Amino acid sequence: LPAGLSQWFPALEVLDVSGTGLTEMGTELLSLPCLHTLLAKNNRLGGPGSLPKGLGQAPLARSLRVLNLSGNRFSEVPPALLQLRGLRSLSLGGNRLHSIPPDIQELHSLEFLYLGGNFIMAIPPELAKLPSLRYLVLCDNKIQSIPPQLAQLHSLRSLSLHNNLLTYLPREILNLVHLEELSLRGNPLVVRFVRDLTYNPPSLQELAGRTVKTRNVPYAPSDLPDSLVRYLSLASNCPNPKCGGVYFDSCVRQIKFVDFCGKYRLPLMHYLCSPECSSPFSSASQSSTSQSESDSEDEASVAAHRMQKVLLG
């Protein structure tokens, strides 16, 4: 950036230096107290010293609202960016990112996050701690699964996951009550449905806990150690309406198909308390009159109105 920038334009609010071949941004950036939008797309930023030291402590950290660094060479999210607590829009698409740092949760004001076109393999659960996030773009990465914690993004309107490696979605995604757009095209779940059953036998503690819960054995905090009282409070109800059981740590992971808009069937992950709860009709090869489809239609009737657009191809 040119020297004396802050002296020439002390009230500068928008700065666009995209496509200029920049390899670093100098300290002049720190002296722009009114800057709220910084666009530096399609440059060569990403090496050591690309961003000025002290960025998180400068007036810019409070004033900046929009930052676009897409089309650069960052291999990780610069820690200094995570100190820009006033950011509402952050774009790092088309870089060389392999992960999302858990500290992304510090950007409490973030409403728009674009990380498409990278090499990201996993989504940290901490991403769900962004209360204002409305648009999340993670397309064109190498993501294999979605953490169920994303259901905590209650403000989310649009979720772009196309062109990843997803084979299922967590059942909790139905809790995204304001979600209007879900983009999934180009994932294995769209072209081939999978069935995944895993089960670890329950421990003696879990068996005892299940008995206490299912038989409504009365107990008071004075009867048990605090650790066991907390453990019993973590019981999850088995979603099988014919079962009525509970589970703690040991459960069956299974794909369940949910119909959307009368056209698409999405494989969602759900959890059962034991293999005995697993229906032989869970396979996608069964006819449309199977019990599995009947159940999925009931579930879909609750959630279909929430997702106005499901883009699968």
Side-chain angles (χ1 to χ4, degrees), residues 25-285:
M25 291 189 284
T27 55
E28 285 296 315
L29 191 66
L30 305 180
S31 304
L32 297 172
C34 300
L35 193 68
H36 61 70
T37 299
L38 174 58
L39 310 177
K41 303 178 292 180
N42 304 324
N43 284 299
R44 301 175 184 174
L45 300 169
S50 290
L51 302 179
K53 293 182 179 179
L55 182 62
Q57 289 74 43
L60 189 67
R62 295 184 295 273
S63 66
L64 200 61
R65 297 290 181 267
V66 177
L67 176 60
N68 192 327
L69 295 173
S70 293
N72 281 282
R73 302 177 179 180
F74 290 101
S75 58
E76 63 178 14
V77 178
L81 299 188
L82 303 178
Q83 299 179 41
L84 303 177
R85 305 298 169 81
L87 273 185
R88 295 177 184 171
S89 175
L90 174 61
S91 299
L92 280 164
N95 277 275
R96 303 172 181 176
L97 304 178
H98 285 80
S99 63
I100 304 172
D103 287 344
I104 194 78
Q105 64 181 309
E106 301 298 330
L107 301 179
H108 297 296
S109 300
L110 207 60
E111 298 178 5
F112 178 91
L113 179 60
Y114 190 105
L115 297 174
N118 283 285
F119 303 95
I120 298 168
M121 301 180 66
I123 303 173
E126 289 81 3
L127 189 63
K129 297 181 180 180
L130 297 175
S132 302
L133 196 63
R134 295 166 58 89
Y135 301 93
L136 176 58
V137 181
L138 295 168
C139 59
D140 299 291
N141 278 286
K142 299 181 181 298
I143 299 169
Q144 300 183 44
S145 64
I146 304 300
Q149 288 87 348
L150 283 196
Q152 300 169 19
L153 292 173
H154 300 302
S155 298
L156 201 63
R157 298 293 194 275
S158 176
L159 177 59
S160 295
L161 295 167
H162 52 272
N163 299 331
N164 276 284
L165 302 176
L166 297 171
T167 55
Y168 68 88
L169 298 176
R171 190 169 180 268
E172 289 81 359
I173 202 170
L174 298 179
N175 295 327
L176 293 173
V177 296
H178 296 296
L179 195 65
E180 298 173 353
E181 180 175 320
L182 174 62
S183 179
L184 293 169
R185 66 183 185 276
N187 279 282
L189 65 81
V190 177
V191 297
R192 61 180 176 85
F193 290 153
V194 297
R195 183 168 182 251
D196 182 15
L197 288 176
T198 59
Y199 185 66
N200 294 319
S203 64
L204 292 177
Q205 177 175 273
E206 172 143 354
L207 289 173
R210 291 186 181 195
T211 300
V212 169
K213 286 293 185 178
T214 56
R215 298 188 178 182
N216 294 318
V217 177
Y219 64 90
S222 59
D223 301 329
L224 301 171
D226 291 342
S227 59
L228 289 181
V229 173
R230 287 194 298 271
Y231 180 78
L232 289 171
S233 68
L234 299 176
S236 298
N237 294 321
C238 182
N240 185 346
K242 299 179 181 180
C243 173
V246 300
Y247 63 87
F248 293 86
D249 303 310
S250 178
C251 61
V252 174
R253 299 170 65 244
Q254 188 181 49
I255 299 298
K256 182 175 182 179
F257 298 94
V258 175
D259 294 340
F260 282 86
C261 306
K263 184 176 181 181
Y264 301 115
R265 302 186 71 214
L266 299 185
L268 304 182
M269 181 65 77
H270 73 145
Y271 305 88
L272 301 170
C273 68
S274 70
E276 286 72 24
C277 284
S278 176
S279 168
F281 301 109
S282 298
S283 172
S285 64

